[in-house]
Amino acid sequence: MRTWGTKPFIMTKRLYYDSSELREFDSVVEDVSPSPPEQSRPAVILRETAFYPTSGGQVHDTGWLTLGGERVRVTEVADTEDGKVVHYLEAPAPPLVGTAVHGSIDPERRRDHMQQHTGQHVLSAAFIELYQMPTVSFHMGTSEAYCSIDLAVPSVSSEQIAAVEKRANQIVFENRPVRVRYVSRAEAERLGLRKLPPAERDELRLIEIADFDLSACGGTHVGASGQIGSILLRKTERVRQGTRVEFVCGGRAVRMARRDYSALSEAAALLSTQLWDVPEQIRKSAEDSKLMRKQKDDALDQLAELMALADLHAQPETNGRKIVVRAFSDRNISFAKLFAQKVTRAATPAIALVASTADPPGLVFAQSSQASQPDSTPDMGALLKQVLSAVGGRGGGSRDFAQGGVPAGSRINVEQLLREAAGTIGA
Ligand SMILES: [Zn+2]
């Protein structure tokens, strides 16, 4: 753990506890970068601060500190274990303990955090009110990302999501006061909070959304529920501790809806349809491509069959069988395989030695089972291994069917391998 000077133990006074609207404040530098300085980023601790440090699921504030005539950016704010708030600075600050400092908080970022955080209180309370689903954790993403809560339940239906979203927004529209008050632990237990923190402190800070929710929290919240703006629920997914519900509030909900609208508009334009007809059009397109795939497969099957018959017809029969050798430059290995199957399933016993030079190049050796006489016919698997092993290719198979290839991007000529194989069996 870092050591912060030799100052006596004094917790930083947190101005945001009593005023989450405070954006400008004056204070005094209590301590500068922790020692040893070479291990740390420039940072200061102040006597009091309005900057919120990352905690309780809420992300820290950013902003500026003006000290010793310099305005320095605050890039991160964190809690120490002994209750102090550390402001990490973009540039080293002059080591001026005791100097007056003026703090300014990035107002937009804070507004966003207050909307997401208060929205989370409303959402968690609505899940309890309607379905007794307790929230076990909260995560606030950065400004362009989702926030999420994890509920201690195995699943949440889309009807439940819609109902909770409706109820939560009703609370927003009613613009209920959001108040902060401090009570003793005994008092808090009597009040029946939605969530009671572990027994650490005697005094608890309560956030009350009038006649709707009461919970202990150290975060920053809006003054009335209307300032949340709106609550938009998004995806749900199964997680280890239950079900995760993604949501966005206020300005984020508007930005997210704008992004969704742009994406959907683009999709609609590509499909030459109206926005809400996009799913139906996609369903149709998917059916069309399935049908076309089937037609293509049938056509290729017929083409392979016709090419196989033509090649067999052109070949003289020797020792009661025909040998077809063929290299395809414009057909892939799947077609080569199909062609070999057609050759070997025709009426006359036959051997097919086929190559595809398309990427990735490959070889298929096959023979009709009736052509396979243990004494007089070659073993296709052995023949393939023989020609491939010399060039580092991989493949194998049975006596009647074998398939293999050469490493992708290699300069090995599969047509040459094909000629070698043909030569071996005297074709
Ligand atoms: Zn809170």
Side-chain angles (χ1 to χ4, degrees):
M1 198 188 138
R2 286 166 174 164
T3 358
W4 281 81
T6 52
K7 289 259 171 194
F9 171 74
I10 303 168
M11 287 169 69
T12 308
K13 186 174 182 214
R14 296 163 195 244
L15 302 170
Y16 58 82
Y17 273 168
D18 294 316
S19 174
S20 60
E21 293 297 334
L22 190 66
R23 301 288 181 271
E24 304 281 329
F25 66 99
D26 291 300
S27 186
V28 173
V29 175
E30 284 251 305
D31 209 344
V32 292
S33 293
S35 54
E38 66 273 11
Q39 284 183 7
S40 56
R41 289 175 283 163
V44 293
I45 286 175
L46 309 176
R47 190 179 59 207
E48 61 263 289
T49 187
F51 279 90
Y52 186 81
T54 296
S55 53
Q58 183 175 335
V59 193
H60 65 84
D61 286 323
T62 58
W64 299 266
L65 290 182
T66 308
L67 65 175
E70 280 182 54
R71 194 165 188 256
V72 191
R73 178 120 182 104
V74 176
T75 53
E76 192 186 335
V77 188
D79 262 327
T80 66
E81 283 175 28
D82 57 358
K84 291 178 178 176
V85 176
V86 189
H87 307 75
Y88 290 98
L89 308 174
E90 196 170 57
L96 299 164
V97 173
T99 310
V101 55
H102 181 78
S104 309
I105 290 165
D106 180 331
E108 278 185 34
R109 183 177 163 102
R110 168 63 80 78
R111 169 69 50 204
D112 170 61
H113 292 177
M114 282 160 55
Q115 286 182 328
Q116 311 312 313
H117 191 137
T118 318
Q120 179 260 313
H121 281 240
V122 172
L123 196 55
S124 292
F127 269 112
I128 287 280
E129 185 192 70
L130 296 185
Y131 304 111
Q132 294 77 50
M133 293 179 173
T135 296
V136 286
S137 72
F138 163 50
H139 167 77
M140 184 191 289
T142 52
S143 66
E144 293 312 311
Y146 300 108
C147 302
S148 65
I149 51 171
D150 288 352
L151 300 169
V153 289
S155 67
V156 184
S157 71
S158 50
E159 290 77 19
Q160 288 172 325
I161 287 291
V164 165
E165 186 179 64
K166 189 177 172 194
R167 176 62 175 147
N169 280 294
Q170 193 180 9
I171 300 298
V172 171
F173 304 152
E174 287 167 6
N175 199 27
R176 299 188 186 212
V178 179
R179 298 188 199 95
V180 179
R181 60 178 160 132
Y182 297 88
V183 297
S184 67
R185 175 160 272 280
E187 171 90 20
E189 281 168 12
R190 196 181 58 75
L191 287 168
L193 304 190
R194 173 164 56 79
K195 197 177 160 196
L196 198 64
E200 274 174 359
R201 271 169 252 138
D202 285 339
E203 193 187 52
L204 293 178
R205 180 176 186 255
L206 302 190
I207 307 302
E208 179 178 29
I209 299 169
D211 301 320
F212 185 64
D213 186 45
L214 187 63
S215 58
C217 183
T220 57
H221 308 84
V222 296
S225 61
Q227 292 170 22
I228 296 168
S230 58
I231 301 177
L232 181 64
L233 269 60
R234 312 273 301 188
K235 198 176 81 183
T236 63
E237 70 176 320
R238 184 96 181 88
V239 291
R240 198 174 48 83
Q241 56 184 348
T243 303
R244 180 158 298 165
V245 179
E246 291 180 354
F247 69 95
V248 278
C249 300
R252 278 195 208 196
V254 174
R255 288 198 297 277
M256 201 70 83
R258 168 61 46 196
R259 229 160 66 192
D260 290 353
Y261 179 80
S262 303
L264 202 52
S265 299
E266 200 180 329
L270 287 169
L271 294 164
S272 308
T273 188
Q274 297 303 312
L275 225 55
W276 291 332
D277 292 333
V278 166
E280 187 51 36
Q281 280 301 322
I282 290 176
R283 215 169 285 130
K284 268 193 204 149
S285 299
E287 277 165 22
D288 284 354
S289 18
K290 202 173 149 191
L291 184 67
M292 282 194 289
R293 234 179 357 254
K294 169 90 174 63
Q295 286 172 342
K296 192 193 95 179
D297 288 349
D298 289 350
L300 282 175
D301 195 81
Q302 286 167 14
L303 178 65
E305 174 123 35
L306 290 171
M307 289 175 92
L309 291 175
D311 279 13
L312 283 166
H313 185 72
Q315 281 297 320
E317 193 175 315
T318 37
N319 303 328
R321 70 181 182 207
K322 290 186 174 187
I323 300 176
V324 170
V325 181
R326 169 78 103 138
F328 293 104
S329 61
D330 55 349
R331 299 277 167 198
N332 63 15
I333 191 69
S334 303
F335 187 82
K337 195 172 157 183
L338 195 59
F339 175 81
Q341 282 167 351
K342 299 291 182 192
V343 168
T344 56
R345 283 175 197 167
T348 322
I351 292 175
L353 302 180
V354 194
S356 165
T357 59
D359 203 36
L363 293 166
V364 177
F365 296 171
Q367 65 185 338
S368 320
S369 47
Q370 68 266 43
S372 168
Q373 306 295 327
D375 305 333
S376 61
T377 63
D379 179 320
M380 295 291 118
L383 181 63
L384 184 80
K385 276 211 165 77
Q386 184 192 320
V387 295
L388 282 179
S389 63
V391 296
R394 291 167 64 92
S398 65
R399 182 171 185 87
D400 288 342
F401 184 88
Q403 186 181 338
V406 295
S410 76
R411 288 160 175 261
I412 298 157
N413 185 344
V414 287
E415 282 184 274
Q416 176 59 34
L417 299 180
L418 191 64
R419 281 194 290 275
E420 281 172 28
T424 307
I425 61 165

